[in-house]
Amino acid sequence: SGGSLTASKTIFVGQVGGASFASTNAAIQAEELFVGRQAGASGVATVSGGSLTLSKDLHVGALGTGTFTVSN
């Protein structure tokens, strides 16, 4: 809760298996965000409040299954 996360490249949530990521009132910065990247992978990402800044793309369910939720 709160704080910040800065990734120089990409954040992966569920790249090859299952994973979840939750952020509350935090500042998140990255180049890209993948949620459920590879075939058979699953990811769930939730951003509540705060901010999400990506310099490139957001990929939800690229080849796998992904859920991305934003709320205030």
Side-chain angles (χ1 to χ4, degrees):
S1 180
S4 64
L5 169 66
T6 302
S8 61
K9 292 283 183 178
T10 304
I11 298 173
F12 297 100
V13 180
Q15 179 169 340
V16 291
S20 63
F21 173 82
S23 170
T24 303
N25 297 323
I28 303 166
Q29 293 182 317
E31 191 172 87
E32 293 180 282
L33 172 60
F34 281 87
V35 184
R37 182 174 187 208
Q38 299 294 338
S42 63
V44 176
T46 304
V47 177
S48 179
S51 63
L52 172 64
T53 304
L54 303 173
S55 60
K56 289 190 178 178
D57 298 318
L58 168 64
H59 307 271
V60 179
L63 295 174
T65 303
T67 302
F68 180 72
T69 304
V70 177
S71 64
N72 285 329

